[in-house]
Amino acid sequence: MVSFSPSVELENRNGIGLLWVDNPPVNAQSQHVREGLQKAFAHLSEDESVKAVVLLCRGRTFIAGADIKEFGRPRLPPDTNEIRVQMEALDKPLVAAIHGTALGGGLETAMCCHYRVAVPSAKVGLPEVKLGILPAGGGTQRMPRLVGVERALDLIVSGRHVPAAEAVDLGILDALVGEDALESDALAFARKLVDEDAPLRRLRDVETHRDAPRENPQLFAEFRRRIARKTRGFNAPEACIQCVEAAATLPFDEGLRREAELSAQLHADPQSKAQRHYFFAERAARKIADVPKETPERRIARVGVLGAGTMGGGISMNFASMGLPVRIVEREQEALERGLGIVRKNYERTAKRGGITAAQVDERMELLGGGTDFEALADCDLIIEAVFENMELKKEIFRKLDGVAKPGAILATNTSYLDVNEIAAATNRPQDVIGMHFFSPANIMKLVEVVRGDKTAPDVIATAMGVSRRIDKIPVLVGVCHGFVGNRMLAKRREQADKLVLEGALPWDVDRVLYDFGLPMGPFRMSDLAGLDIGWSAETSTSSTLREVLCERGRRGQKTGKGYYVYDAESRAASPDPEVEELVAEFSKKLGIERREINDQEILERCLYPMVNEGARILEEGVAQRASDIDVIWVNGYGWPVYTGGPMFWAEQLGLAEVASAYERYAEALGADDWQLSPRLRKLAAAGDGFGS
């Protein structure tokens, strides 16, 4: 065994070199790893006793990528790309043996090997775009040569993780090896290459990837059109596309130079800083100060759901998709069957798009059952209530559950606003009660606000967080208050949006400004989509708000063809409506408000600054653990553009002093009642500080 650094050593196994990397926890390419690999490949190029080399890693994963802790700092030598040149130039077969993940720099390193094998559970990918950067270790130049331009565009711009079996089909991997036999099978693979005098497949020398764009000159333009909606506002995807274009049109070394040039631009881009912030924020959200990582979770083998409507059905789908049996209880059998029918249609729609197979549709539906009797929930380990947002109804349900659920079962409410402590007090087991606020549609949206009550047990919190991750959600722990974190901040935005319309803006002005900022839609389009009549009653309507007047006139949103907007019957495209403009003017006059010209900057500030201020109050009250948790909630629950990092990070980059100054201006112009600055925000602004982690 020859050691080249504390993390890199070489073992000669009868002429086959096993080059080991050991840098826990994820074998990141830290400086000592790079130094060790540089020395090792220099040695191997001269060691005639070694006929082939297998690069593999100890621990739980192959090289998982660059050391993200080195981002934003001067890189100490050696440069990773120098090592990759050494690897590719090696005059003997070099095999990457992959387990765990080979992501980003890890896959780029593997692509410098002449061959690649992996265990079936491994995943590979180039996810740099999710950090606002691009694969700058030759990934944008080698991937098109390995799998073709069209596949490379999809892989690099999506940043998705590719399972090993698919990676073989795509051509990223040459073979799968035994799950528990990586070392021996990779060794045998390398020995066979030597015995057969196999060619050294250097990706830099491949030219066949140029054929597709020559045959279809519109290939890149078509790809840009196809992804335009999904990548709106992001800078990194376009840079990735330009790099792949360079791979298709320039010599390899010139393509590398173009890749390096665009990479430098992205690293200096504020979007990358914001996306790196979000990367760490999502991981920080898993940490709970008073619930240690080692807190045992309760076993969840069977789940119960109360309600088969849109929310209940979506929640049920999450668990069935992960292989857990679900028992759904509805008041009437007809409602249950209708809900299960919608679930089946959702699964069948996914199957039609190729997301799952027809057999998987049937398998998942077999896991879903239920009835109209609460006794169906008696053996469930987790029961989630997803009924109408009414406190008395929820308390009645929890009293019933208290008498039916087995000891130790977790009782969760999906409430989006109501007091979890009051709901828990309806039971004799408040320690087992927790909020699990899913976002609609629950089978698609990633966020779950996990709401801890005053008496919620630590292992219940740990279990709710853990099971949320098991069903591929992003859970964030919050405390009890009206609306929790997300909806409480949303309410502040809506208050100002409504006032802006009364003062002189129009609904489509407000929506346009927020859409241009990067949000998926503004508050008025969102209201039309949800239905203006949610929570509205014709019997009690008093024409006291613009929404009430719209509902009274039958303008109840997209479903009726008219709301704040008018909708095309076929395309459902929204258009401004002169009738609404007239109605807004009449309503302002009725309230004695003199309308004025309102510019886009005022709309943006008045909609977003109050959200930041409310976020600061939420931190003061301890409802959220950290500012970055608020960012995670807004990115995943409300579509806040991740390239700004989230509302709290965005405000920090803008300068909290700017927010505080704007509050003073609006307090003077519009009245202090709406513009009371949070004490925490005032203090941080005066000190020139940010919210911190």
Side-chain angles (χ1 to χ4, degrees):
M1 191 79 76
V2 182
S3 178
F4 297 98
S5 79
S7 52
V8 179
E9 56 186 16
L10 175 68
E11 178 184 357
N12 189 329
R13 196 78 70 80
N14 297 320
I16 305 297
L18 296 182
L19 184 59
W20 292 96
V21 174
D22 186 7
N23 182 29
V26 293
N27 289 311
Q29 294 185 82
S30 307
Q31 191 276 334
H32 52 88
V33 173
R34 300 195 299 274
E35 183 179 48
L37 288 173
Q38 184 184 55
K39 291 177 179 177
F41 285 112
H43 170 87
L44 285 164
S45 66
E46 298 178 358
D47 188 346
E48 296 182 0
S49 69
V50 176
K51 306 302 180 184
V53 182
V54 178
L55 174 65
L56 66 174
C57 298
R58 302 193 190 280
R60 69 174 191 251
T61 183
F62 188 72
I63 296 168
D67 189 341
I68 201 165
K69 288 180 286 189
E70 295 183 0
F71 282 13
R73 301 177 185 176
R75 289 268 285 182
L76 296 173
D79 181 75
T80 312
N81 285 328
E82 294 173 7
I83 300 163
R84 290 168 181 150
V85 170
Q86 286 180 287
M87 295 171 64
E88 208 161 29
L90 195 67
D91 61 354
K92 56 197 73 176
L94 175 58
V95 181
I98 299 168
H99 74 295
T101 57
L103 301 174
L107 180 55
E108 288 178 308
T109 298
M111 287 193 291
C112 293
C113 297
H114 307 128
Y115 295 87
R116 289 155 294 280
V117 300
V119 298
S121 62
K123 291 185 178 180
V124 301
L126 297 172
E128 283 88 348
V129 70
K130 296 180 180 179
L131 295 177
I133 55 177
L134 57 80
T140 67
Q141 303 305 295
R142 290 188 177 90
M143 184 61 81
R145 289 168 164 83
L146 181 60
V147 303
V149 167
E150 292 172 291
R151 287 176 170 176
L153 282 169
D154 171 64
L155 292 168
I156 295 169
V157 174
S158 72
R160 69 186 181 92
H161 298 185
V162 182
E166 183 187 355
V168 172
D169 292 339
L170 291 172
I172 300 172
L173 300 176
D174 295 291
L176 296 182
V177 297
E179 187 67 49
D180 300 314
L182 177 62
E183 181 181 332
S184 60
D185 285 1
L187 191 68
F189 185 91
R191 198 173 298 284
K192 185 179 179 184
L193 294 175
V194 173
D195 293 344
E196 295 178 354
D197 195 23
L200 305 182
R201 291 172 11 198
R202 297 184 174 102
L203 290 178
R204 64 174 295 129
D205 298 332
V206 171
E207 292 292 321
T208 54
H209 68 296
R210 302 188 193 280
D211 294 342
R214 284 173 183 158
E215 293 168 4
N216 178 14
Q218 296 302 310
L219 187 154
F220 290 102
E222 290 169 358
F223 182 78
R224 284 184 171 97
R225 281 196 296 272
R226 193 161 64 247
I227 66 164
R229 184 175 178 183
K230 187 178 293 186
T231 59
R232 178 178 68 94
F234 287 88
N235 294 333
E238 173 57 27
C240 289
I241 295 170
Q242 291 182 27
C243 283
V244 178
E245 283 182 304
T249 57
L250 300 176
F252 182 79
D253 288 328
E254 287 186 37
L256 283 182
R257 284 193 287 274
R258 180 61 174 150
E259 179 188 82
E261 174 188 319
L262 289 167
S263 174
Q265 291 177 16
L266 289 180
H267 272 278
D269 188 341
Q271 287 196 1
S272 177
K273 183 178 181 181
Q275 288 179 252
R276 293 199 304 271
H277 159 78
Y278 177 78
F279 177 88
F280 287 113
E282 191 176 303
R283 281 146 186 79
R286 301 174 185 175
K287 300 173 184 176
I288 303 169
D290 59 344
V291 182
K293 185 178 179 181
E294 59 274 13
T295 301
E297 295 182 21
R298 299 188 188 183
R299 180 173 176 269
I300 304 296
R302 187 181 299 276
V303 177
V305 175
L306 271 157
T310 302
M311 183 60 75
I315 291 171
S316 300
M317 288 178 69
N318 290 314
F319 292 99
S321 297
M322 298 303 291
L324 287 173
V326 182
R327 294 292 168 263
I328 306 173
V329 169
E330 256 290 358
R331 287 185 298 178
E332 299 174 357
Q333 187 66 28
E334 182 183 351
L336 176 63
E337 292 173 1
R338 183 168 57 250
L340 289 173
I342 292 171
V343 167
R344 176 175 282 280
K345 286 180 181 177
N346 287 337
Y347 277 138
E348 288 173 345
R349 193 176 298 117
T350 303
K352 191 174 181 179
R353 293 196 302 263
I356 58 177
T357 65
Q360 286 176 310
V361 173
D362 292 334
E363 288 170 8
R364 294 175 185 188
M365 289 306 300
E366 286 177 9
L367 291 168
L368 297 167
T372 58
D373 192 333
F374 272 56
E375 289 296 331
L377 306 172
D379 61 347
C380 292
D381 305 296
L382 167 65
I383 303 171
I384 303 173
E385 163 272 308
V387 303
F388 185 68
E389 197 79 339
N390 177 280
M391 177 58 82
E392 292 309 312
L393 175 60
K394 289 182 185 286
K395 287 181 358 184
E396 179 187 348
I397 284 172
F398 272 76
R399 278 191 287 269
K400 289 181 180 178
L401 289 177
D402 193 28
V404 170
K406 66 182 182 181
I410 295 174
L411 309 182
T413 173
N414 180 56
T415 181
S416 50
Y417 286 96
L418 301 178
D419 187 338
V420 172
N421 290 323
E422 187 175 345
I423 294 170
T427 75
N428 291 309
R429 50 172 101 181
Q431 73 280 0
D432 294 335
V433 177
I434 196 165
M436 290 182 72
H437 176 207
F438 289 80
F439 283 66
S440 185
N443 54 307
I444 295 173
M445 295 294 285
K446 286 287 192 180
L447 180 67
V448 177
E449 280 184 315
V450 176
V451 189
R452 67 183 302 170
D454 292 343
K455 297 183 179 179
T456 306
D459 64 335
V460 171
I461 296 170
T463 305
M465 296 289 286
V467 77
S468 296
R469 287 192 291 270
R470 277 175 64 190
I471 60 173
D472 198 29
K473 299 298 182 187
I474 298 173
V476 181
L477 188 71
V478 301
V480 174
C481 67
H482 185 73
F484 314 127
V485 171
N487 284 338
R488 176 172 163 179
M489 292 170 66
L490 183 68
K492 293 298 178 184
R493 187 182 83 182
R494 186 57 196 246
E495 284 175 14
Q496 286 302 313
D498 287 340
K499 289 183 178 183
L500 283 161
V501 167
L502 292 176
E503 293 169 26
L506 291 165
W508 33 91
D509 296 326
V510 176
D511 285 351
R512 173 182 50 77
V513 169
L514 293 178
Y515 180 81
D516 289 348
F517 175 76
L519 288 157
M521 65 178 65
F524 300 102
R525 281 292 306 276
M526 185 186 296
S527 293
D528 273 1
L529 182 64
L532 299 185
D533 54 347
I534 292 178
W536 174 82
S537 168
E539 291 76 20
T540 58
S541 189
T542 60
S543 306
S544 59
T545 67
L546 183 59
R547 181 182 77 103
E548 283 192 331
V549 172
L550 290 171
C551 287
E552 289 164 5
R553 295 190 179 192
R555 303 183 65 111
R556 300 179 186 180
Q558 187 172 305
K559 62 188 175 184
T560 60
K562 289 183 178 182
Y564 287 102
Y565 295 81
V566 63
Y567 292 87
D568 181 83
E570 293 184 8
S571 68
R572 293 192 174 185
S575 300
D577 192 342
E579 183 183 332
V580 172
E581 189 169 351
E582 291 174 10
L583 183 59
V584 166
E586 290 172 8
F587 208 80
S588 297
K589 185 176 181 180
K590 174 184 172 183
L591 295 176
I593 299 172
E594 185 175 346
R595 296 180 66 77
R596 61 185 174 86
E597 195 74 28
I598 297 179
N599 64 34
D600 290 357
Q601 185 63 26
E602 181 178 345
I603 291 173
L604 189 71
E605 291 176 354
R606 287 181 60 183
C607 285
L608 301 189
Y609 288 3
M611 293 173 57
V612 173
N613 191 55
E614 195 66 16
R617 293 190 187 281
I618 284 167
L619 292 171
E620 287 170 4
E621 297 167 15
V623 172
Q625 291 187 98
R626 51 186 79 86
S628 61
D629 284 3
I630 297 174
D631 291 333
V632 174
I633 286 170
W634 266 86
V635 166
N636 290 283
Y638 301 86
W640 185 282
V642 68
Y643 55 76
T644 71
M648 309 308 279
F649 181 83
W650 169 75
E652 285 182 330
Q653 301 311 298
L654 187 68
L656 298 186
E658 163 58 28
V659 179
S661 175
Y663 254 69
E664 291 176 2
R665 293 197 310 271
Y666 289 125
E668 183 176 348
L670 303 172
D673 288 350
D674 283 352
W675 298 95
Q676 293 289 325
L677 195 62
S678 148
R680 175 174 238 177
L681 187 50
R682 179 182 290 108
K683 180 179 178 182
L684 293 173
D689 290 339
F691 291 109
S693 58

